[in-house]
Amino acid sequence: MKHMMVVVSMEEEWSTLKSLVQESYIDEGQQPSFSSTGSVEVCDLIVASRSVSFHCAVLKKDMTEEGISQALDSCFKSCSQGVSTFLLLIQNGRYKKRESRIMEFMQACYGPEVLKFLIVLSLETEAVDMLDDSLLGLINVSDGRYCRLTTTTLGTSDMLLPLLEMFDFMLAENGMIGYTEHMHRLREAKSRYTADTSMKIMTWMYLQEAEEKDREREMQGLKAKHAEDGKMEADVKRQYETKRESLEEAATSHGAMLQMQLNVTNNDNSKKTSIILVGTSGSGKTSAINLISERVGNQYSSNEDFPECPSSTLTCERKVVLAEGRRLVLVDTPELWDVDGAENMEQVKDCLALSLPGPHIFLLTIRFRRFTQGESEMVSRLQKIFGRGFTEHAIVLFTHRNDIGPHKVLMTRSINDYVAGAQGLQDLLRKCGSRYYVLNLFRNALSYPQVKDLLSGVHKLVASHGGGPYVTKRFPVEQLKERKRVIEERLM
């Protein structure tokens, strides 16, 4: 099956992507194929034994609104097998006014449904420390589907693997189908029906001034037309429902097959997700791990007494649980620096060793209370410890213990007010891509959906990096493996 991807791009970004694709296949046995159909440029290639076809509507800076609409329509029609996804191409995380204008036209042409099938792809030839608010807004409405091709992967044969990972994640969320021609025709039919109805109302108002006999004859004609339009829409809807039921059966069957493939063993590192929890002492790292373990183990406590606060963590500890067919490795850490800000090298090595084959994600835990100066400096300290790429793999986790009452929970408005009142906290969140979740450590039923949302965010972030772990260059992998072996033997 060929994956048809409509690439929406300015000339410069499309030229960059074509050059990178050509460079990545210099030493490969099968070269990509480039062709054009009218104003549409096509690139066919094989990625990880899968057939991918890019159909690009190359847009120019001076194009009119009509020109943009025609280019998008031609590109859509060139995908005879249906569109698997829409791919918005940007460079170095910059979402400019011209790209924003293009997105407005896409929604005008294909409806708001286009956002369910949109992936934002950023070609990054330089370091990107922070995303602007407009791009974060687009990523939010497209359910976090933002993929990056960084300098470490550009020009290599596997540089498009993160894009395929995000593509598979999108299909799973949308029932294993893309944006089809049938959806497009249904939208056009509804638009025509709306326009026809408006015209009927105007005609009816004009006929009020005519004679009663003429008005009655015209009204009969309008009723007949309305019945015909209603029958046509019912037929289209019936065809859509028949196809949807067929697709649901296929998706169910495919989902069962995927679930069988997701059965893992202890030695299958490709099915592990490693998470290191970092933060200040007392921020709730250990309690968060305990609550996550209960959630994925389907343990729902009915005891609404306040849980005892665990004692301070003195050494790095590792817990492995099975969550939705994947092994989740949770590494608890003490504070990784002393009162003078100097890092504890031994603890750093221990947490990295215990997270192998990761880490994939860092959870930066912050207690929901007054934001301190020490917490505002955490990102800089952690970047010195784990490298500048730490923030690209980090999620902020706000924890609290229902200090406002045993039967109340932290609401979104409260966390928004909390963030708005602390400039240092706003800067910290921006450095971490504005990714944050809230976890109520009080063990009642209301805390479990928060764990589910957190794990969903973790899986999305891992998919955006192609499923691979974050690699620190400070310590050789063999050294960390030996350290892990020593720790495990000591605990036996």
Side-chain angles (χ1 to χ4, degrees), residues 144-401:
R145 289 186 292 277
Y146 176 69
C147 188
R148 304 164 55 252
L149 302 185
T150 63
T151 53
T152 59
T153 60
L154 294 182
T156 61
S157 58
D158 59 349
M159 71 172 186
L160 293 177
L161 290 181
L163 173 61
L164 284 184
E165 288 275 349
M166 185 58 68
F167 171 74
D168 290 340
F169 195 89
M170 182 208 71
L171 287 184
E173 287 187 323
N174 291 292
M176 307 307 295
I177 61 171
Y179 187 94
T180 64
E181 176 68 18
H182 179 75
M183 294 179 183
H184 194 49
R185 288 200 305 270
L186 183 60
R187 171 174 171 76
E188 290 179 338
K190 289 183 178 180
S191 299
R192 287 195 300 271
Y193 178 77
T194 301
D196 289 344
T197 303
S198 299
M199 181 60 68
K200 293 171 189 176
I201 294 175
M202 294 177 62
T203 303
W204 181 82
M205 294 178 64
Y206 172 78
L207 290 176
Q208 294 303 304
E209 299 176 1
E211 295 182 358
E212 183 66 24
K213 186 177 180 180
D214 293 335
R215 183 168 64 248
E216 181 64 23
R217 184 172 57 252
E218 184 68 23
M219 288 298 295
Q220 290 298 326
L222 290 174
K223 289 180 180 179
K225 183 66 168 60
H226 182 76
E228 182 180 352
D229 288 344
K231 182 180 178 181
M232 182 185 358
E233 184 176 8
D235 290 340
V236 172
K237 184 177 180 180
R238 185 164 52 252
Q239 294 174 6
Y240 172 78
E241 289 296 326
T242 300
K243 187 172 183 179
R244 182 183 63 80
E245 291 174 359
S246 177
L247 289 172
E248 284 180 349
E249 291 178 1
T252 301
S253 176
H254 187 68
M257 181 184 68
L258 288 178
Q259 187 61 43
M260 292 176 62
Q261 295 175 349
L262 285 175
N263 290 331
V264 295
T265 63
N266 290 330
N267 295 323
D268 190 358
N269 289 337
S270 65
K271 303 302 181 183
K272 288 183 180 179
T273 299
S274 295
I275 304 173
I276 297 180
L277 283 81
V278 295
T280 59
S281 179
S283 60
K285 299 186 292 293
T286 303
S287 297
I289 288 177
N290 292 337
L291 190 58
I292 292 171
S293 300
E294 290 180 7
R295 170 64 182 88
V296 299
N298 293 319
Q299 301 173 14
Y300 295 85
S301 174
S302 60
N303 182 11
E304 296 196 355
D305 294 332
F306 282 100
E308 295 182 2
C309 296
S311 58
S312 298
T313 301
L314 301 179
T315 60
C316 296
E317 299 178 1
R318 179 174 184 260
K319 180 176 289 189
V320 181
V321 294
L322 188 64
E324 299 179 354
R326 297 182 66 91
R327 291 196 177 276
L328 200 63
V329 179
L330 302 169
V331 179
D332 195 3
T333 64
E335 201 165 303
L336 297 178
W337 51 85
D338 58 23
V339 293
D340 297 323
E343 68 174 298
N344 188 324
M345 183 69 71
E346 297 305 310
Q347 297 288 11
V348 172
K349 291 180 181 179
D350 283 351
C351 73
L352 290 173
L354 291 174
S355 71
L356 291 175
H360 296 85
I361 299 294
F362 295 93
L363 279 187
L364 179 52
T365 59
I366 297 177
R367 183 77 179 273
F368 184 67
R369 59 188 179 191
R370 182 179 179 184
F371 190 65
T372 65
Q373 179 65 29
E375 289 173 325
S376 67
E377 298 172 353
M378 278 196 299
V379 170
S380 297
R381 289 178 176 175
L382 291 168
Q383 283 183 315
K384 291 179 181 179
I385 294 174
F386 297 108
R388 288 181 56 83
F390 165 82
T391 54
E392 298 176 8
H393 296 257
I395 295 175
V396 176
L397 179 63
F398 292 105
T399 64
H400 73 108
R401 295 181 176 275

Side-chain angles (χ1 to χ4, degrees), residues 90-94 122-128 130-131 146:
I90 64 175
Q91 274 194 323
N92 296 318
R94 299 188 183 96
S122 176
L123 303 176
E124 297 184 5
T125 56
E126 61 185 46
V128 179
M130 190 178 299
L131 304 180
Y146 176 69

